[in-house]
Protein backbone atom coordinates (compact mmCIF):
# COMPACT_ATOMS: atom_id res chain seq x y z
CA UNK A 1 0.00 0.00 0.00
CA UNK A 2 2.84 2.40 0.89
CA UNK A 3 4.52 1.52 -2.41
CA UNK A 4 1.33 2.36 -4.27
CA UNK A 5 0.98 5.68 -2.44
CA UNK A 6 4.56 6.44 -3.48
CA UNK A 7 3.55 5.86 -7.09
CA UNK A 8 0.83 8.54 -6.97
CA UNK A 9 2.78 11.05 -4.81
CA UNK A 10 6.49 11.87 -4.71
CA UNK A 11 7.94 9.34 -2.22
CA UNK A 12 9.17 12.00 0.23
CA UNK A 13 5.55 13.15 0.67
CA UNK A 14 4.45 9.76 1.98
CA UNK A 15 5.67 9.26 5.52
CA UNK A 16 5.59 6.28 7.82
CA UNK A 17 7.99 7.78 10.38
CA UNK A 18 6.72 7.20 13.90
CA UNK A 19 6.90 10.85 14.94
CA UNK A 20 4.90 11.84 11.82
CA UNK A 21 2.25 9.17 12.50
CA UNK A 22 1.95 10.40 16.10
CA UNK A 23 1.82 14.05 15.11
CA UNK A 24 -0.53 13.97 12.11
CA UNK A 25 -2.61 11.05 13.33
CA UNK A 26 -4.45 13.01 16.00
CA UNK A 27 -6.21 16.23 16.83
CA UNK A 28 -6.52 17.89 20.26
CA UNK A 29 -8.70 15.05 21.53
CA UNK A 30 -6.80 12.92 23.97
CA UNK A 31 -9.10 9.91 24.33
CA UNK A 32 -7.92 7.90 21.29
CA UNK A 33 -4.41 6.77 20.48
CA UNK A 34 -3.09 7.77 17.07
CA UNK A 35 -2.36 4.72 14.89
CA UNK A 36 -2.34 5.66 11.18
CA UNK A 37 -0.34 3.58 8.74
CA UNK A 38 0.92 6.54 6.70
CA UNK A 39 0.66 10.30 6.33
CA UNK A 40 0.56 11.85 2.88
CA UNK A 41 1.12 15.49 1.96
CA UNK A 42 -0.53 16.35 -1.38
CA UNK A 43 0.20 19.72 -2.98
CA UNK A 44 -2.41 19.78 -5.74
CA UNK A 45 -6.05 18.87 -6.32
CA UNK A 46 -4.89 16.23 -8.83
CA UNK A 47 -2.80 14.57 -6.12
CA UNK A 48 -5.79 14.50 -3.76
CA UNK A 49 -7.84 12.90 -6.54
CA UNK A 50 -5.10 10.33 -7.15
CA UNK A 51 -4.94 9.37 -3.45
CA UNK A 52 -8.75 9.14 -3.28
CA UNK A 53 -8.94 6.94 -6.39
CA UNK A 54 -6.23 4.70 -4.99
CA UNK A 55 -8.18 4.44 -1.73
CA UNK A 56 -11.25 3.31 -3.69
CA UNK A 57 -9.28 0.79 -5.70
CA UNK A 58 -7.39 -0.63 -2.71
CA UNK A 59 -9.99 -0.25 0.04
CA UNK A 60 -7.95 2.28 2.04
CA UNK A 61 -9.52 4.48 4.70
CA UNK A 62 -8.54 8.17 4.52
CA UNK A 63 -8.57 10.69 7.36
CA UNK A 64 -8.34 14.41 6.51
CA UNK A 65 -5.95 16.46 8.62
CA UNK A 66 -5.87 20.25 8.89
CA UNK A 67 -4.63 22.23 11.90
CA UNK A 68 -5.54 19.27 14.17
CA UNK A 69 -7.25 21.53 16.68
CA UNK A 70 -10.50 19.54 16.64
CA UNK A 71 -12.04 18.51 19.94
CA UNK A 72 -14.23 15.55 18.87
CA UNK A 73 -11.66 13.17 17.36
CA UNK A 74 -12.92 13.94 13.85
CA UNK A 75 -9.33 14.01 12.59
CA UNK A 76 -7.96 11.11 14.66
CA UNK A 77 -6.64 8.10 12.75
CA UNK A 78 -6.75 5.24 15.22
CA UNK A 79 -7.36 2.28 12.88
CA UNK A 80 -4.44 2.16 10.47
CA UNK A 81 -5.92 4.78 8.12
CA UNK A 82 -3.94 6.97 5.74
CA UNK A 83 -3.89 10.57 6.96
CA UNK A 84 -4.18 13.18 4.22
CA UNK A 85 -2.56 16.36 5.52
CA UNK A 86 -3.38 19.68 3.88
CA UNK A 87 -0.33 21.43 5.35
CA UNK A 88 1.25 21.81 1.92
CA UNK A 89 -1.90 23.14 0.26
CA UNK A 90 -1.60 26.50 1.95
CA UNK A 91 -1.71 29.08 -0.81
CA UNK A 92 -4.02 31.97 -1.59
CA UNK A 93 -5.12 31.51 -5.20
CA UNK A 94 -7.18 34.55 -6.08
CA UNK A 95 -8.74 37.70 -4.68
CA UNK A 96 -11.48 39.77 -6.26
CA UNK A 97 -11.95 43.22 -4.79
CA UNK A 98 -15.39 43.74 -6.34
CA UNK A 99 -16.72 40.41 -5.12
CA UNK A 100 -14.76 40.69 -1.85
CA UNK A 101 -14.02 37.01 -2.19
CA UNK A 102 -10.69 35.32 -1.61
CA UNK A 103 -10.01 31.81 -2.90
CA UNK A 104 -7.57 29.75 -0.90
CA UNK A 105 -6.43 26.18 -0.58
CA UNK A 106 -7.77 24.09 2.29
CA UNK A 107 -4.55 24.20 4.32
CA UNK A 108 -4.47 27.99 4.78
CA UNK A 109 -4.43 28.83 8.49
CA UNK A 110 -7.39 30.89 9.74
CA UNK A 111 -5.18 33.66 11.17
CA UNK A 112 -3.53 34.02 7.75
CA UNK A 113 -6.95 34.61 6.17
CA UNK A 114 -7.64 37.25 8.81
CA UNK A 115 -4.26 38.88 8.06
CA UNK A 116 -4.87 38.65 4.30
CA UNK A 117 -8.23 40.40 4.74
CA UNK A 118 -6.61 43.13 6.87
CA UNK A 119 -4.04 43.66 4.14
CA UNK A 120 -6.89 44.39 1.72
CA UNK A 121 -8.60 46.76 4.17
CA UNK A 122 -11.24 44.09 4.85
CA UNK A 123 -12.17 41.62 7.58
CA UNK A 124 -12.67 37.86 7.90
CA UNK A 125 -14.84 37.61 11.01
CA UNK A 126 -14.73 33.91 11.89
CA UNK A 127 -12.47 33.79 14.93
CA UNK A 128 -11.68 31.45 17.80
CA UNK A 129 -8.90 30.60 20.23
CA UNK A 130 -7.29 28.16 17.78
CA UNK A 131 -7.21 30.57 14.80
CA UNK A 132 -3.40 30.51 14.89
CA UNK A 133 -3.27 26.88 13.81
CA UNK A 134 -6.71 25.76 12.57
CA UNK A 135 -7.03 25.51 8.80
CA UNK A 136 -9.84 26.61 6.49
CA UNK A 137 -10.56 23.06 5.29
CA UNK A 138 -11.13 21.89 8.85
CA UNK A 139 -13.20 24.98 9.64
CA UNK A 140 -15.46 24.15 6.69
CA UNK A 141 -15.60 20.46 7.61
CA UNK A 142 -16.82 21.31 11.11
CA UNK A 143 -18.69 24.54 10.25
CA UNK A 144 -16.52 26.19 12.91
CA UNK A 145 -18.14 28.87 15.07
CA UNK A 146 -16.20 30.75 17.73
CA UNK A 147 -16.38 34.03 19.57
CA UNK A 148 -18.10 36.35 17.05
CA UNK A 149 -21.03 34.15 16.01
CA UNK A 150 -23.46 36.50 17.74
CA UNK A 151 -22.80 39.17 15.10
CA UNK A 152 -21.25 37.30 12.18
CA UNK A 153 -22.59 33.74 12.18
CA UNK A 154 -20.68 30.52 11.55
CA UNK A 155 -18.13 29.50 8.88
CA UNK A 156 -21.09 28.44 6.68
CA UNK A 157 -22.13 32.08 6.36
CA UNK A 158 -18.78 33.07 4.81
CA UNK A 159 -18.38 30.32 2.23
CA UNK A 160 -19.12 31.63 -1.26
CA UNK A 161 -17.87 28.53 -3.01
CA UNK A 162 -16.06 25.24 -2.51
CA UNK A 163 -13.99 22.89 -4.59
CA UNK A 164 -14.24 19.37 -3.23
CA UNK A 165 -12.97 15.91 -4.10
CA UNK A 166 -15.78 13.49 -3.34
CA UNK A 167 -15.24 10.07 -1.81
CA UNK A 168 -15.62 8.67 -5.32
CA UNK A 169 -12.71 10.83 -6.48
CA UNK A 170 -14.77 13.30 -8.50
CA UNK A 171 -13.96 17.02 -8.41
CA UNK A 172 -16.96 19.31 -7.80
CA UNK A 173 -16.87 23.10 -8.10
CA UNK A 174 -19.75 24.28 -5.89
CA UNK A 175 -21.45 27.68 -6.18
CA UNK A 176 -18.44 29.42 -7.78
CA UNK A 177 -18.61 32.54 -5.58
CA UNK A 178 -22.15 33.46 -6.59
CA UNK A 179 -24.32 35.49 -4.25
CA UNK A 180 -27.54 34.21 -5.81
CA UNK A 181 -27.92 30.74 -7.24
CA UNK A 182 -31.36 29.15 -7.15
CA UNK A 183 -30.58 26.10 -9.25
CA UNK A 184 -31.58 23.33 -6.88
CA UNK A 185 -29.83 21.63 -3.98
CA UNK A 186 -26.92 23.67 -2.67
CA UNK A 187 -24.37 20.87 -2.36
CA UNK A 188 -21.86 23.30 -0.86
CA UNK A 189 -23.81 23.14 2.37
CA UNK A 190 -23.69 19.35 2.47
CA UNK A 191 -19.92 19.49 2.67
CA UNK A 192 -19.92 22.24 5.30
CA UNK A 193 -20.09 20.38 8.60
CA UNK A 194 -19.65 16.95 6.99
CA UNK A 195 -16.44 16.27 8.97
CA UNK A 196 -14.65 14.83 5.97
CA UNK A 197 -17.11 11.97 5.64
CA UNK A 198 -18.29 12.90 2.13
CA UNK A 199 -15.09 14.16 0.55
CA UNK A 200 -12.17 16.53 0.96
CA UNK A 201 -12.53 20.30 0.76
CA UNK A 202 -9.55 21.32 -1.37
CA UNK A 203 -10.30 24.99 -2.06
CA UNK A 204 -12.69 27.54 -0.60
CA UNK A 205 -14.02 30.93 -1.69
CA UNK A 206 -14.31 33.04 1.45
CA UNK A 207 -16.33 36.20 1.69
CA UNK A 208 -14.69 39.19 3.36
CA UNK A 209 -16.46 42.19 4.80
CA UNK A 210 -15.85 45.69 6.13
CA UNK A 211 -13.64 45.92 9.21
CA UNK A 212 -15.59 46.49 12.42
CA UNK A 213 -15.65 49.84 14.20
CA UNK A 214 -13.22 50.22 17.15
CA UNK A 215 -14.55 48.20 20.05
CA UNK A 216 -14.68 48.07 23.83
CA UNK A 217 -14.61 44.99 26.02
CA UNK A 218 -16.47 44.72 29.32
CA UNK A 219 -16.20 41.97 31.91
CA UNK A 220 -19.02 41.74 34.44
CA UNK A 221 -19.20 39.73 37.65
CA UNK A 222 -22.41 37.66 37.80
CA UNK A 223 -23.42 35.65 40.84
CA UNK A 224 -26.38 33.72 39.45
CA UNK A 225 -26.12 32.00 36.11
CA UNK A 226 -29.86 32.58 35.64
CA UNK A 227 -29.25 36.35 35.38
CA UNK A 228 -26.88 36.12 32.44
CA UNK A 229 -29.64 36.18 29.84
CA UNK A 230 -31.34 39.16 31.52
CA UNK A 231 -28.03 41.00 31.12
CA UNK A 232 -27.81 39.97 27.45
CA UNK A 233 -31.36 41.14 26.75
CA UNK A 234 -30.78 44.47 28.53
CA UNK A 235 -27.54 45.19 26.66
CA UNK A 236 -28.95 44.12 23.31
CA UNK A 237 -31.74 46.65 23.70
CA UNK A 238 -29.29 49.52 23.04
CA UNK A 239 -25.85 48.12 22.29
CA UNK A 240 -24.65 46.43 19.10
CA UNK A 241 -22.79 43.47 20.60
CA UNK A 242 -20.15 41.58 18.65
CA UNK A 243 -19.57 39.02 21.42
CA UNK A 244 -21.24 37.88 24.60
CA UNK A 245 -19.23 35.15 26.30
CA UNK A 246 -19.22 33.72 29.78
CA UNK A 247 -16.92 31.75 32.07
CA UNK A 248 -16.97 30.50 35.61
CA UNK A 249 -14.80 31.40 38.61
CA UNK A 250 -13.05 28.06 38.29
CA UNK A 251 -12.11 28.98 34.71
CA UNK A 252 -10.74 32.35 35.90
CA UNK A 253 -8.76 30.64 38.59
CA UNK A 254 -7.20 28.22 36.08
CA UNK A 255 -6.50 30.74 33.31
CA UNK A 256 -5.02 33.43 35.56
CA UNK A 257 -2.70 30.84 37.09
CA UNK A 258 -1.73 29.27 33.76
CA UNK A 259 -1.05 32.53 31.94
CA UNK A 260 -0.04 34.70 34.93
CA UNK A 261 -2.90 37.10 34.15
CA UNK A 262 -4.47 39.63 36.50
CA UNK A 263 -7.95 38.82 37.75
CA UNK A 264 -10.57 40.95 35.97
CA UNK A 265 -12.26 42.36 39.09
CA UNK A 266 -11.32 42.99 42.72
CA UNK A 267 -14.10 40.77 43.99
CA UNK A 268 -14.75 37.27 42.75
CA UNK A 269 -18.09 36.08 41.36
CA UNK A 270 -19.45 32.65 40.50
CA UNK A 271 -19.55 33.65 36.81
CA UNK A 272 -18.32 36.37 34.49
CA UNK A 273 -19.79 37.74 31.28
CA UNK A 274 -17.48 39.18 28.63
CA UNK A 275 -19.08 41.61 26.21
CA UNK A 276 -17.60 43.26 23.15
CA UNK A 277 -19.33 46.16 21.43
CA UNK A 278 -18.64 49.08 19.12
CA UNK A 279 -16.94 51.97 20.95
CA UNK A 280 -19.60 54.46 19.87
CA UNK A 281 -22.08 52.45 21.97
CA UNK A 282 -20.09 53.12 25.13
CA UNK A 283 -22.70 55.48 26.72
CA UNK A 284 -25.50 52.97 26.07
CA UNK A 285 -23.32 50.17 27.47
CA UNK A 286 -22.60 52.14 30.63
CA UNK A 287 -26.33 52.80 31.09
CA UNK A 288 -27.08 49.08 30.65
CA UNK A 289 -24.34 48.28 33.16
CA UNK A 290 -25.81 50.70 35.75
CA UNK A 291 -29.26 49.16 35.32
CA UNK A 292 -27.88 45.64 35.59
CA UNK A 293 -26.09 46.65 38.76
CA UNK A 294 -29.27 48.17 40.21
CA UNK A 295 -31.24 45.03 39.30
CA UNK A 296 -28.70 42.92 41.20
CA UNK A 297 -27.75 40.89 38.09
CA UNK A 298 -24.21 42.21 38.14
CA UNK A 299 -21.93 42.66 41.14
CA UNK A 300 -19.04 44.55 39.52
CA UNK A 301 -17.60 45.37 36.14
CA UNK A 302 -14.63 46.65 34.17
CA UNK A 303 -14.42 48.20 30.71
CA UNK A 304 -11.30 48.29 28.54
CA UNK A 305 -9.62 51.68 28.24
CA UNK A 306 -7.07 50.62 25.65
CA UNK A 307 -6.41 47.97 23.02
CA UNK A 308 -3.95 46.29 25.40
CA UNK A 309 -6.55 46.08 28.15
CA UNK A 310 -9.13 44.72 25.73
CA UNK A 311 -6.67 42.01 24.71
CA UNK A 312 -5.92 41.22 28.36
CA UNK A 313 -9.65 40.79 29.08
CA UNK A 314 -10.09 38.57 26.01
CA UNK A 315 -7.10 36.48 27.16
CA UNK A 316 -9.14 35.47 30.21
CA UNK A 317 -11.65 33.84 27.90
CA UNK A 318 -9.40 32.63 25.10
CA UNK A 319 -6.81 31.02 27.35
CA UNK A 320 -9.24 28.73 29.18
CA UNK A 321 -8.99 25.70 26.89
CA UNK A 322 -5.21 25.62 27.15
CA UNK A 323 -5.24 26.21 30.90
CA UNK A 324 -7.43 23.17 31.61
CA UNK A 325 -5.82 20.90 29.00
CA UNK A 326 -3.53 19.26 31.62
CA UNK A 327 -6.71 18.06 33.36
CA UNK A 328 -7.77 16.18 30.18
CA UNK A 329 -11.30 17.55 30.29
CA UNK A 330 -14.26 15.62 28.94
CA UNK A 331 -15.78 18.28 26.74
CA UNK A 332 -19.44 18.93 26.21
CA UNK A 333 -20.35 21.48 23.58
CA UNK A 334 -24.06 22.06 24.04
CA UNK A 335 -26.52 24.43 22.39
CA UNK A 336 -30.14 25.36 22.88
CA UNK A 337 -32.12 28.23 21.43
CA UNK A 338 -30.93 31.47 23.01
CA UNK A 339 -34.28 32.04 24.71
CA UNK A 340 -34.02 28.55 26.22
CA UNK A 341 -30.61 29.17 27.81
CA UNK A 342 -31.84 30.19 31.31
CA UNK A 343 -34.20 27.19 31.60
CA UNK A 344 -31.57 24.84 30.24
CA UNK A 345 -28.87 26.14 32.59
CA UNK A 346 -31.29 25.73 35.44
CA UNK A 347 -31.96 22.09 34.41
CA UNK A 348 -28.24 21.42 34.17
CA UNK A 349 -27.46 23.23 37.40
CA UNK A 350 -29.88 20.96 39.25
CA UNK A 351 -28.65 17.85 37.50
CA UNK A 352 -24.89 18.39 37.73
CA UNK A 353 -24.68 17.34 41.37
CA UNK A 354 -26.56 14.15 40.52
CA UNK A 355 -24.74 13.39 37.25
CA UNK A 356 -21.22 14.36 38.28
CA UNK A 357 -21.35 14.21 42.10
CA UNK A 358 -17.62 14.22 42.77
CA UNK A 359 -16.18 15.90 39.68
CA UNK A 360 -15.05 19.47 39.07
CA UNK A 361 -16.86 21.29 36.25
CA UNK A 362 -15.38 24.15 34.27
CA UNK A 363 -18.05 26.21 32.51
CA UNK A 364 -17.50 28.68 29.75
CA UNK A 365 -18.82 29.44 26.31
CA UNK A 366 -20.58 31.60 23.81
CA UNK A 367 -23.71 32.05 25.81
CA UNK A 368 -24.97 34.89 23.60
CA UNK A 369 -25.58 32.41 20.77
CA UNK A 370 -26.93 29.62 23.00
CA UNK A 371 -23.70 27.56 23.11
CA UNK A 372 -22.19 26.50 26.43
CA UNK A 373 -19.07 24.42 27.01
CA UNK A 374 -19.32 22.18 30.02
CA UNK A 375 -15.92 20.68 30.71
CA UNK A 376 -15.61 17.88 33.25
CA UNK A 377 -12.12 17.85 34.71
CA UNK A 378 -10.30 14.58 35.27
CA UNK A 379 -9.34 14.07 38.90
CA UNK A 380 -5.60 13.50 39.37
CA UNK A 381 -4.79 9.83 39.66
CA UNK A 382 -7.70 8.57 37.54
CA UNK A 383 -6.58 7.03 34.22
CA UNK A 384 -7.77 8.91 31.12
CA UNK A 385 -9.58 5.87 29.68
CA UNK A 386 -11.40 5.11 32.90
CA UNK A 387 -12.36 8.78 33.24
CA UNK A 388 -13.72 8.99 29.68
CA UNK A 389 -15.62 5.73 30.08
CA UNK A 390 -17.21 7.07 33.20
CA UNK A 391 -18.16 10.36 31.56
CA UNK A 392 -19.51 8.55 28.47
CA UNK A 393 -21.72 6.47 30.74
CA UNK A 394 -23.07 9.64 32.36
CA UNK A 395 -23.55 11.63 29.15
CA UNK A 396 -27.05 10.31 28.33
CA UNK A 397 -28.35 11.94 31.54
CA UNK A 398 -27.07 15.29 30.34
CA UNK A 399 -28.03 14.78 26.70
CA UNK A 400 -31.62 13.96 27.69
CA UNK A 401 -31.85 17.50 29.07
CA UNK A 402 -30.47 18.83 25.79
CA UNK A 403 -32.89 16.70 23.73
CA UNK A 404 -35.87 17.76 25.86
CA UNK A 405 -35.27 21.34 24.67
CA UNK A 406 -34.55 20.36 21.06
CA UNK A 407 -30.91 21.35 21.56
CA UNK A 408 -27.65 20.14 20.07
CA UNK A 409 -25.09 17.84 21.69
CA UNK A 410 -22.41 19.44 19.53
CA UNK A 411 -22.85 23.10 18.71
CA UNK A 412 -19.52 23.78 17.02
CA UNK A 413 -16.95 21.07 17.82
CA UNK A 414 -18.47 18.39 15.58
CA UNK A 415 -19.36 14.78 16.32
CA UNK A 416 -16.26 12.87 15.24
CA UNK A 417 -15.78 9.70 17.25
CA UNK A 418 -16.40 11.34 20.60
CA UNK A 419 -20.10 12.10 20.20
CA UNK A 420 -20.97 9.59 17.46
CA UNK A 421 -22.90 7.17 19.64
CA UNK A 422 -24.94 10.07 21.02
CA UNK A 423 -26.01 11.53 17.68
CA UNK A 424 -29.55 10.26 18.20
CA UNK A 425 -30.04 12.77 21.01
CA UNK A 426 -29.95 15.58 18.45
CA UNK A 427 -30.91 13.99 15.12
CA UNK A 428 -33.91 11.75 14.42
CA UNK A 429 -33.60 8.21 13.06
CA UNK A 430 -35.05 9.45 9.76
CA UNK A 431 -32.43 12.21 9.55
CA UNK A 432 -29.61 9.76 10.26
CA UNK A 433 -30.89 7.41 7.53
CA UNK A 434 -30.90 10.31 5.04
CA UNK A 435 -27.35 11.21 6.13
CA UNK A 436 -26.30 7.61 5.42
CA UNK A 437 -27.89 7.77 1.97
CA UNK A 438 -26.05 11.03 1.22
CA UNK A 439 -22.80 9.43 2.33
CA UNK A 440 -23.45 6.42 0.09
CA UNK A 441 -24.06 8.72 -2.89
CA UNK A 442 -20.84 10.71 -2.46
CA UNK A 443 -18.57 8.09 -0.89
CA UNK A 444 -19.90 4.75 -2.20
CA UNK A 445 -16.96 2.71 -0.92
CA UNK A 446 -16.78 4.38 2.48
CA UNK A 447 -13.18 5.56 2.15
CA UNK A 448 -13.77 9.04 3.62
CA UNK A 449 -13.14 9.29 7.35
CA UNK A 450 -14.94 6.06 8.22
CA UNK A 451 -16.10 5.64 11.80
CA UNK A 452 -16.72 9.37 12.26
CA UNK A 453 -19.97 11.25 12.69
CA UNK A 454 -22.44 8.47 11.79
CA UNK A 455 -23.19 5.85 14.46
C1 LIG B 1 -13.79 27.69 22.91
O1 LIG B 1 -14.91 28.18 22.93
O2 LIG B 1 -12.86 28.17 23.55
C2 LIG B 1 -13.56 26.52 22.02
O3 LIG B 1 -14.75 25.98 21.56
C3 LIG B 1 -12.65 25.51 22.60
C4 LIG B 1 -13.17 24.73 23.77
O4 LIG B 1 -14.37 24.56 23.93
O5 LIG B 1 -12.33 24.24 24.53
ZN1 LIG C 1 -16.32 27.35 21.70
Amino acid sequence: MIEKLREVLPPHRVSTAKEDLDNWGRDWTRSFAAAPSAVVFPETVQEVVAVTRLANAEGLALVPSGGRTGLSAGAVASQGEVVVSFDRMNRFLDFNETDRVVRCQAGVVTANVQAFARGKGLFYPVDFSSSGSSQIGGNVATNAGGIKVLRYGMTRDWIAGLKVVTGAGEVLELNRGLVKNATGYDLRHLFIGSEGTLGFVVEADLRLTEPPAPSRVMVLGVDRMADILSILTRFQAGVALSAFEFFSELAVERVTRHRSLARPLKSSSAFYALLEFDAHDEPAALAAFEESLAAGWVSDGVMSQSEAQARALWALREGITESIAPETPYKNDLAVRISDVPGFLDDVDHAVGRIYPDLEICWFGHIGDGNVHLNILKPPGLAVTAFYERCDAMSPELFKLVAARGGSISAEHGVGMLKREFLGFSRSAAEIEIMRAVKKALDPNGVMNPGKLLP
Side-chain angles (χ1 to χ4, degrees):
M1 186 260 288
I2 304 297
E3 288 310 307
K4 287 188 171 151
L5 283 167
R6 289 190 171 136
E7 280 163 24
V8 298
L9 288 183
H12 68 281
R13 288 200 268 114
V14 177
S15 176
T16 53
K18 176 151 177 14
E19 63 273 23
D20 290 348
L21 300 182
D22 287 347
N23 185 45
W24 276 277
R26 66 199 291 180
D27 56 20
W28 274 358
T29 326
R30 288 293 170 259
S31 41
F32 301 91
S37 48
V39 188
V40 299
F41 299 90
E43 288 184 353
T44 64
V45 174
Q46 289 67 32
E47 289 179 353
V48 177
V49 171
V51 170
T52 308
R53 295 215 169 128
L54 181 69
N56 276 275
E58 301 290 325
L60 306 180
L62 304 177
V63 173
S65 171
R68 304 185 306 285
T69 57
L71 293 164
S72 295
V76 174
S78 60
Q79 308 281 335
E81 301 95 329
V82 174
V83 173
V84 180
S85 164
F86 285 87
D87 284 7
R88 296 176 80 103
M89 291 182 67
N90 59 1
R91 282 178 304 124
F92 289 94
L93 302 174
D94 188 30
F95 169 67
N96 188 301
E97 200 178 345
T98 308
D99 294 332
R100 292 182 163 182
V101 167
V102 57
R103 170 162 281 224
C104 64
Q105 291 184 306
V108 170
V109 168
T110 315
N112 292 346
V113 175
Q114 294 166 341
F116 181 93
R118 264 196 308 279
K120 301 288 179 194
L122 293 167
F123 182 55
Y124 182 65
V126 180
D127 194 17
F128 28 74
S129 318
S130 56
S131 294
S133 35
S134 77
Q135 296 177 3
I136 289 301
N139 295 357
V140 173
T142 55
N143 186 25
I147 52 183
K148 300 282 168 71
V149 171
L150 186 65
R151 180 178 288 183
Y152 295 106
M154 310 278 287
T155 295
R156 184 184 299 287
D157 300 299
W158 298 91
I159 301 298
L162 286 181
K163 186 184 273 189
V164 300
V165 176
T166 70
E170 232 169 306
V171 179
L172 304 179
E173 184 75 64
L174 304 172
N175 199 59
R176 306 179 301 279
L178 297 171
V179 176
K180 300 177 99 173
N181 182 8
T183 53
Y185 311 137
D186 193 336
L187 301 181
R188 166 184 50 157
H189 289 293
L190 273 183
F191 284 88
I192 302 172
S194 65
E195 300 188 28
T197 60
L198 304 179
F200 292 127
V201 171
V202 285
E203 291 173 17
D205 289 316
L206 308 174
R207 282 192 203 293
L208 307 180
T209 188
E210 268 115 62
S215 59
R216 297 275 183 273
V217 176
M218 224 181 218
V219 170
L220 307 175
V222 182
D223 288 326
R224 291 178 306 270
M225 189 134 50
D227 291 334
I228 284 191
L229 262 271
S230 310
I231 300 167
L232 173 67
T233 310
R234 175 58 193 86
F235 272 81
Q236 275 185 320
V239 180
L241 293 172
S242 48
F244 189 89
E245 302 275 312
F246 96 115
F247 38 91
S248 62
E249 170 60 24
L250 188 136
V252 167
E253 189 263 307
R254 294 298 199 273
V255 74
T256 49
R257 183 155 36 111
H258 181 73
R259 283 218 185 166
S260 309
L261 298 171
R263 292 183 60 86
L265 306 170
K266 285 205 185 72
S267 56
S268 60
S269 302
F271 302 100
Y272 300 84
L274 183 152
L275 297 72
E276 189 188 78
F277 48 88
D278 296 346
H280 57 74
D281 276 344
E282 189 179 317
L286 289 172
F289 169 70
E290 291 300 337
E291 271 182 45
S292 303
L293 204 59
W297 301 331
V298 157
S299 55
D300 197 359
V302 58
M303 187 175 71
S304 62
Q305 302 300 321
S306 64
E307 264 298 304
Q309 200 186 359
R311 274 198 303 276
L313 292 173
W314 263 118
L316 292 165
R317 167 65 185 87
E318 295 196 298
I320 298 171
T321 301
E322 223 178 281
S323 73
I324 58 171
E327 294 170 89
T328 3
Y330 182 92
K331 289 184 162 289
N332 284 296
D333 169 33
L334 314 171
V336 291
R337 286 175 63 141
I338 302 165
S339 56
D340 256 338
V341 166
F344 174 65
L345 292 181
D346 201 39
D347 295 347
V348 177
D349 212 19
H350 282 102
V352 155
R354 188 180 75 242
I355 308 178
Y356 310 108
D358 53 344
L359 296 175
E360 272 191 308
I361 310 279
C362 180
W363 285 94
F364 58 96
H366 324 280
I367 203 153
D369 61 36
N371 176 194
V372 293
H373 297 309
L374 184 150
N375 289 255
I376 309 157
L377 306 183
K378 185 180 82 58
L382 183 58
V384 176
T385 332
F387 170 63
Y388 271 76
E389 272 170 15
R390 199 176 146 198
C391 292
D392 272 344
M394 296 184 289
S395 285
E397 279 284 302
L398 180 66
F399 294 162
K400 272 184 211 157
L401 302 176
V402 178
R405 291 184 183 271
S408 174
I409 58 152
S410 181
E412 59 171 5
H413 292 174
V415 176
M417 289 198 274
L418 213 56
K419 298 290 180 317
R420 187 185 55 184
E421 298 313 321
F422 305 114
L423 190 62
F425 284 95
S426 284
R427 307 299 290 261
S428 69
E431 279 183 291
I432 293 172
E433 268 325 295
I434 293 167
M435 288 188 192
R436 285 190 206 288
V438 170
K439 170 137 175 102
K440 194 85 197 145
L442 289 161
D443 179 27
N445 295 319
V447 303
M448 284 290 167
N449 219 4
K452 313 288 165 49
L453 174 56
L454 291 166

